[in-house]
Amino acid sequence: MYLHKGNKLIGCVYCNEQNVTNYNIDLPIRMAFRTTFMHINGSKNKKRGLLTVLRTFAPAHFENGVWNNGGYCNRTSPLSEAEADFGSFDWQLRSIQLEEFERAKREKGEKRLFEILDVTRAMLMRPDGHPGDHWGNKWMKGYNDCTHWCLPGPVDLWSEFLLALLIRSQLGILTS
């Protein structure tokens, strides 16, 4: 993955090439969110009450590998808060999202509303919500899907969270 700022190559992720700065995945994630929020804040659409909602990352739950090297997710019950890994890569991505979200809120125009739908903590505790090896893929036998979520399942809660957020928005009691 090559990273550009304008027409200038500033580095890469996973390329390991000489004379090209190698970055972790957190930099392009940060760049993407910052650019998106800058566009929203710079938008000429100054319609009163325009609400920007950021949903935080939903974690994958691979154990003993990832999707293409034996990783699986065969848990059948939620984790307790003590069992969840709040130092994981997914938690780091959430932190980047929150930092860029807070930055955008500080820099917002007067008619901009920002709110966050933070699902990461709740979803870190739900490794039981993925299809695993029950996803029915005819083309990739032997692989587990520990990234997507079963329906019905834990992601149904997101709709409830979003509805509550939208109701709060209509009532004018948002935090931003």
Side-chain angles (χ1 to χ4, degrees):
M1 179 185 326
Y2 291 92
L3 307 173
H4 294 84
K5 225 176 210 177
N7 291 329
K8 184 179 180 209
L9 176 67
I10 62 167
C12 66
V13 178
Y14 307 126
C15 73
N16 298 318
E17 291 184 21
Q18 282 188 324
N19 302 321
V20 179
T21 305
N22 196 27
Y23 289 101
N24 292 327
I25 194 69
D26 57 338
L27 178 69
I29 296 290
R30 183 177 301 282
M31 289 170 64
F33 278 97
R34 185 170 295 175
T35 300
T36 301
F37 286 134
M38 283 174 44
H39 176 78
I40 291 167
N41 276 338
S43 171
K44 301 218 184 299
N45 182 352
K46 301 289 184 184
K47 185 177 177 184
R48 183 159 179 76
L50 183 64
L51 175 64
T52 299
V53 178
L54 168 69
R55 184 200 35 94
T56 60
F57 277 102
H61 289 96
F62 288 99
E63 294 183 46
N64 298 317
V66 292
W67 74 273
N68 62 349
N69 71 359
Y72 59 86
C73 49
N74 58 359
R75 293 193 181 243
T76 57
S77 61
L79 300 175
S80 70
E81 208 165 342
E83 294 173 296
D85 183 2
F86 294 110
S88 69
F89 177 68
D90 298 300
W91 195 253
Q92 292 170 356
L93 294 179
R94 174 194 176 269
S95 295
I96 291 168
Q97 285 182 295
L98 293 180
E99 289 166 15
E100 293 305 318
F101 177 81
E102 291 301 325
R103 177 187 172 126
K105 277 178 57 173
R106 283 191 308 272
E107 296 173 357
K108 70 179 180 164
E110 68 179 58
K111 294 183 181 172
R112 302 272 184 243
L113 296 173
F114 285 84
E115 194 59 43
I116 195 153
L117 184 58
D118 191 352
V119 301
T120 308
R121 176 180 289 277
M123 294 301 106
L124 272 171
M125 294 184 279
R126 293 305 308 261
D128 59 319
H130 300 285
D133 62 352
H134 304 289
W135 63 316
N137 189 327
K138 299 180 248 181
W139 301 277
M140 297 183 71
K141 296 273 187 222
Y143 292 98
N144 284 277
D145 183 353
C146 305
T147 302
H148 299 97
W149 297 87
C150 293
L151 292 173
V155 295
D156 292 328
L157 190 58
W158 299 1
S159 299
E160 300 293 327
F161 289 157
L162 181 60
L163 180 59
L165 189 146
L166 294 174
I167 289 170
R168 285 183 21 211
S169 171
Q170 289 299 306
L171 296 175
I173 53 176
L174 287 179
T175 58
S176 56

